[in-house]
Amino acid sequence: MQAQDTTSKKAPGIELSNMDKTVKPSDNFYRFVNGNWIDKTEIPSDKTAWGSSEALFQKTEADALKILKEAVNNKEYKSNSDQGKTISFYKSITDTVARNKQGIDPLKPYLAKINAIKNNQELQQVLMEMHPIGGIGFFSADIGADDKDSNKNSVSLSPGRVGLPDREYYVSKEKDSEEKREKYVTHVARMLAFYGEGTAEQNLADAKKILAFETALSEPRLDRVERRDSRKQYNPMTVAALQKMVPAINWDVYFSGLGFPKLDTIIVTQPRYMAALQTILSENRTDDWKAYMRWTLLNRTAGQLSNKIGDANFDFYGKTLNGILKRKAIEERALQTVNFSIGEALGKLYVDKMFPPEAKAKAEKMIKNIIEAYKIRINNLSWMSPQTKLKAIEKLNKMTIKIGYPDHWKDYSQLDIKSPAAGGSYFENVKNINRWTFKEDLAKLNKSVDKTEWLMSPQTVNAYYNPSYNEIVFPAAILQPPYYNYQADEAINYGAIGAVIGHEISHAFDDSGARYNADGNLADWWTEEDLKQFTTLGTALADQYSAVEVLPGVRIDGKFTLGENIGDLGGVNAAYDGLQLFLKSAGKAPLIDGYTPEQRFFISWATVWRSKAREQALKNQVKTDPHSPDQIRGYLPLQNVDVFYKAFNIKAGDGMYLAPEKRVKIW
């Protein structure tokens, strides 16, 4: 490790100043790679955490914001063009003068309809009116690929929204959840005061009523581990059967009123919830319904209204739940809203400016190499039968790879977006976007699934595996440092974006994705013995993570995070093997910065997961996020990788050492 360099440092790679070389990599690898950075870094006041990923998010936002501002000043973009609509939407979000003047006024017509509800029939009418423009709770009906016929679009019926982030907050008896519930009641009462209809005592009483009602809506839901099992959420039934289960709603009238074609089958994701909803609706407690709907409407739209309302909502969701000290600047919030609503319109401009063709070409080669490495790993598995191996290889061979940006961009021609100068507002533009999205989805029911569609915009720093499409997708924004630098040495890239690629491939074979076959259908393709072996290995990995205490008394839920942890472990292994395939064809690589390619690979992995997080954010993450905290992802998967021990001469007694029989090897 101390050998003399034999090549120049011609491209970015390891940031040596961030390392703490007073620590042995064999004792605390995460600290060895990131120690100096951890010591000198403060989390920005408007962030829940700060690290490699967050720095890239911020850089990407700055790039996209610069591009957007340049577009705002470009008079060539007509108001009816995609770029023009992006500009108009952005202007309506940043026009806080108009929004502050409007205050709560945009909600008053909907509030009047809620307040007038006297029975189930009138409730149903309001739900129908609100459904296309964002919904108002109780349940939601969505359109997408059928889990058992991925080329067919189906309608799924799911539980409606509640105010706290997860069921866990409503049902848990642990201290943090109980404290958050108390603060939530105080927050809801504060927010209801913006309606100006009730006294402080009435608002507090309504807030308590809302918590009780949302708890009743949350208790019958699947828990966070159950939700990871698609089989439990695939419950097809006829509309007639649904009518028997929930007679409080006239489902034929509901769906036909929304413009749905005649439906034969509905996928009910949570029958237990729908049965409980029938009980709740049959009690005819209209005051409870109305309190819940008033809050749901306000909570969903708070950011679209005045600064005072938005700031108040941030005080709970930003500060209390996540420990953020201050709200993001309006320009950054506006950009995020544009990205997540009509992101491909801005994506066209982003790709032209920020994504060189050579970056895509090099990434494609890397992905093919890692897939090849994955095939070799599968064929060498000792625990899997030849029969199941063939099916796994078939799934890899049929996997679609999407890099950078879509081949066909979304068509926004029917979307109505108006600038403030033309009478548009943030609230009305969001309503129009929701209505346009609803119509676009509704039209899918008459068509086969379009598997060329992207679920993220190019300027999104993320990647995903879609089991129904059997595809891995890497937007342009993630293909830049620290994840990817097409000018850097391959060890750095394989340890970062290569492992991310391997991670997404591994989702095809995690405890959830492995239930889908090569064609993206929820189908059993495992032998009984192989599935038993796979489940045993998964349990061992879950136990490793469940033993980790991220804060005093706060442990990772290994079963909840199992899919992502399998992704990390499989990703590291496949990317390492992919690097070896590259080195075999390219020839032996020299030392850089005194480190071998293998060492640089693992250092790069730990660099990607360099992070510091706020205590409240960590508590919230453990409850709601299927990913383990970055600080754990940076080292724990490596303890299961034999070549990691060889690279850094890790022996029994060292802090990073895990006995061979305790190392989990899945893919």
Side-chain angles (χ1 to χ4, degrees):
M1 200 160 72
Q2 302 303 319
Q4 185 177 355
D5 289 358
T6 55
T7 186
S8 62
K9 306 177 190 66
K10 62 184 177 65
I14 300 170
E15 299 175 59
L16 298 174
S17 63
N18 288 327
M19 300 174 72
D20 181 357
K21 295 187 181 181
T22 66
V23 175
K24 291 182 179 180
S26 56
D27 281 333
N28 186 334
F29 188 68
Y30 191 78
R31 175 80 199 178
F32 167 72
V33 175
N34 300 309
N36 286 348
W37 178 89
I38 291 169
D39 292 343
K40 68 186 179 184
T41 299
E42 294 291 333
I43 303 171
S45 58
D46 60 349
K47 301 288 191 297
T48 60
W50 188 252
S52 295
S53 296
E54 289 80 15
L56 180 53
F57 295 154
Q58 183 161 292
K59 176 195 177 297
T60 302
E61 282 189 352
D63 291 338
L65 191 58
K66 180 181 178 183
I67 291 166
L68 182 53
K69 286 182 175 180
E70 288 173 354
V72 167
N73 296 320
N74 190 334
K75 295 181 180 179
E76 292 183 9
Y77 294 130
K78 304 299 181 184
S79 61
N80 63 348
S81 68
D82 288 353
Q83 295 88 344
K85 291 174 182 178
T86 301
I87 294 165
S88 295
F89 188 34
Y90 175 77
K91 286 181 175 179
S92 72
I93 300 170
T94 55
D95 185 7
T96 55
V97 173
R99 291 206 277 129
N100 288 337
K101 186 177 180 181
Q102 284 181 331
I104 206 77
D105 288 351
L107 302 189
K108 287 182 177 178
Y110 306 99
L111 185 62
K113 292 178 181 180
I114 292 170
N115 289 339
I117 293 172
K118 300 183 187 66
N119 52 46
N120 276 4
Q121 189 174 356
E122 292 176 356
L123 170 66
Q124 177 173 312
Q125 186 59 39
V126 172
L127 293 177
M128 287 169 58
E129 289 181 31
M130 297 302 296
H131 187 126
I133 58 173
I136 199 165
F138 291 100
F139 56 84
S140 66
D142 304 293
I143 298 164
D146 189 288
D147 268 343
K148 292 200 173 181
D149 184 356
S150 66
N151 291 314
K152 180 182 77 174
N153 282 300
S154 295
V155 179
S156 61
L157 195 65
S158 305
R161 64 186 294 151
V162 290
L164 287 169
D166 190 81
R167 177 183 182 272
E168 183 79 7
Y169 278 103
Y170 291 97
V171 303
S172 174
K173 304 298 183 185
E174 51 98 16
K175 183 179 178 182
D176 182 67
S177 292
E178 290 180 345
E179 290 176 350
K180 293 298 192 300
R181 287 195 291 269
E182 290 178 8
K183 292 177 180 179
Y184 178 61
V185 167
T186 303
H187 168 67
V188 173
R190 177 190 181 189
M191 294 295 291
L192 292 176
F194 286 111
Y195 280 133
E197 292 187 339
T199 64
E201 291 77 11
Q202 288 171 329
N203 289 333
L204 183 59
D206 277 348
K208 292 177 180 177
K209 189 183 297 182
I210 288 164
L211 175 63
F213 191 77
E214 290 186 339
T215 300
L217 291 176
S218 297
E219 286 174 336
R221 297 176 192 229
L222 298 177
D223 66 31
R224 60 192 180 189
V225 176
E226 290 174 320
R227 290 196 303 271
R228 299 197 64 256
D229 189 341
S230 299
R231 298 168 301 181
K232 293 183 178 180
Q233 299 195 67
Y234 189 82
N235 305 285
M237 62 177 65
T238 63
V239 175
L242 175 63
Q243 190 64 54
K244 287 183 180 179
M245 177 183 279
V246 193
I249 301 291
N250 187 322
W251 294 102
D252 280 330
V253 170
Y254 188 87
F255 288 123
S256 62
L258 290 175
F260 283 72
K262 183 67 177 176
L263 297 173
D264 297 322
T265 304
I266 301 286
I267 311 299
V268 178
T269 64
Q270 299 196 33
R272 188 171 67 205
Y273 172 86
M274 296 306 296
L277 181 63
Q278 169 58 29
T279 300
I280 290 169
L281 294 178
S282 65
E283 292 171 348
N284 205 38
R285 292 161 61 181
T286 56
D287 286 347
D288 289 2
W289 303 347
K290 290 189 277 190
Y292 162 67
M293 295 169 80
R294 283 194 292 264
W295 164 235
T296 301
L297 175 66
L298 180 56
N299 190 24
R300 179 171 66 78
T301 60
Q304 303 162 29
L305 305 172
S306 69
N307 280 341
K308 191 176 290 186
I309 295 171
D311 288 345
N313 220 34
F314 169 79
D315 281 347
F316 178 75
Y317 290 103
K319 291 182 180 178
T320 301
L321 283 187
N322 288 297
I324 309 175
L325 302 181
K326 78 172 184 178
R327 204 176 178 196
K328 281 188 174 183
I330 182 63
E331 290 181 339
E332 293 178 42
R333 303 201 306 268
L335 175 69
Q336 287 184 338
T337 302
V338 169
N339 282 341
F340 287 111
S341 53
I342 54 173
E344 284 192 20
L346 178 58
K348 293 179 184 178
L349 299 172
Y350 179 84
V351 167
D352 287 343
K353 293 267 189 181
M354 302 302 302
F355 193 54
E358 56 265 41
K360 182 172 183 175
K362 194 169 183 181
E364 285 174 339
K365 290 180 181 178
M366 182 183 295
I367 291 172
K368 289 176 181 177
N369 227 18
I370 293 171
I371 288 178
E372 185 60 32
Y374 223 105
K375 290 178 184 177
I376 295 170
R377 293 193 67 84
I378 288 173
N379 280 323
N380 289 335
L381 290 174
S382 60
W383 60 268
M384 181 177 278
S385 69
Q387 178 183 340
T388 307
K389 286 179 181 179
L390 284 174
K391 295 289 186 181
I393 297 297
E394 179 190 10
K395 191 169 186 180
L396 281 174
N397 286 335
K398 286 190 173 183
M399 188 175 285
T400 299
I401 301 165
K402 294 178 180 176
I403 301 173
Y405 51 89
D407 292 328
H408 306 287
W409 298 94
K410 285 187 185 295
D411 179 7
Y412 295 106
S413 60
Q414 298 302 308
L415 173 60
D416 183 24
I417 297 289
K418 292 180 180 177
S419 69
S425 71
Y426 185 8
F427 181 87
E428 288 297 318
N429 283 335
V430 169
K431 188 170 75 172
N432 290 344
I433 290 170
N434 287 336
R435 195 183 299 279
W436 173 83
T437 301
F438 174 75
K439 288 181 179 178
E440 289 282 302
D441 287 345
L442 198 60
K444 292 177 180 178
L445 279 175
N446 299 316
K447 302 172 185 175
S448 297
V449 173
D450 178 11
K451 294 187 177 180
T452 67
E453 185 178 19
W454 281 53
L455 306 182
M456 285 180 182
S457 65
Q459 64 275 25
T460 302
V461 179
N462 210 332
Y464 65 90
Y465 172 75
N466 183 343
S468 293
Y469 292 18
N470 189 24
E471 66 176 6
I472 49 175
V473 185
F474 305 95
I478 200 172
L479 298 173
Q480 53 183 326
Y483 288 98
Y484 178 64
N485 188 325
Y486 69 95
Q487 295 177 320
D489 63 288
E490 293 301 312
I492 292 296
N493 281 324
Y494 273 88
I497 193 64
V500 172
I501 292 165
H503 173 103
E504 298 307 333
I505 295 171
S506 295
H507 276 314
F509 305 104
D510 69 18
D511 63 312
S512 180
R515 297 187 178 113
Y516 292 80
N517 66 14
D519 296 316
N521 297 321
L522 193 59
D524 187 7
W525 52 274
W526 293 70
T527 67
E528 186 176 343
E529 182 59 30
D530 287 345
L531 185 58
K532 182 180 178 181
Q533 292 271 14
F534 177 62
T535 303
T536 299
L537 292 169
T539 299
L541 189 64
D543 289 345
Q544 276 188 10
Y545 282 82
S546 292
V548 176
E549 198 173 46
V550 296
L551 291 168
V554 179
R555 293 183 183 273
I556 295 173
D557 183 342
K559 291 182 179 179
F560 178 46
T561 58
L562 181 57
E564 298 299 333
N565 298 334
I566 290 175
D568 283 347
L569 180 56
V572 169
N573 278 315
Y576 181 89
D577 287 359
L579 174 62
Q580 297 309 307
L581 289 176
F582 170 82
L583 294 174
K584 186 177 180 180
S585 63
K588 183 173 175 59
L591 298 179
I592 300 177
D593 296 324
Y595 299 105
T596 67
E598 289 76 15
Q599 290 169 335
R600 288 172 67 77
F601 171 89
F602 291 115
I603 291 171
S604 181
W605 166 266
T607 299
V608 163
W609 301 115
R610 180 174 64 209
S611 181
K612 293 179 75 169
R614 300 188 188 282
E615 184 174 309
Q616 290 302 330
L618 277 175
K619 290 179 180 179
N620 186 50
Q621 179 178 359
V622 168
K623 287 189 179 78
T624 64
D625 192 341
H627 299 83
S628 296
D630 288 359
Q631 300 89 330
I632 311 305
R633 299 177 76 178
Y635 75 88
L636 201 154
L638 306 185
Q639 291 183 283
N640 293 294
V641 179
D642 291 342
V643 287
F644 171 64
Y645 290 76
K646 182 180 178 182
F648 291 97
N649 195 29
I650 300 170
K651 295 182 172 63
D654 292 338
M656 295 301 302
Y657 185 81
L658 193 64
E661 66 274 13
K662 293 184 178 180
R663 298 173 200 168
V664 179
K665 304 178 191 308
I666 302 179
W667 299 106

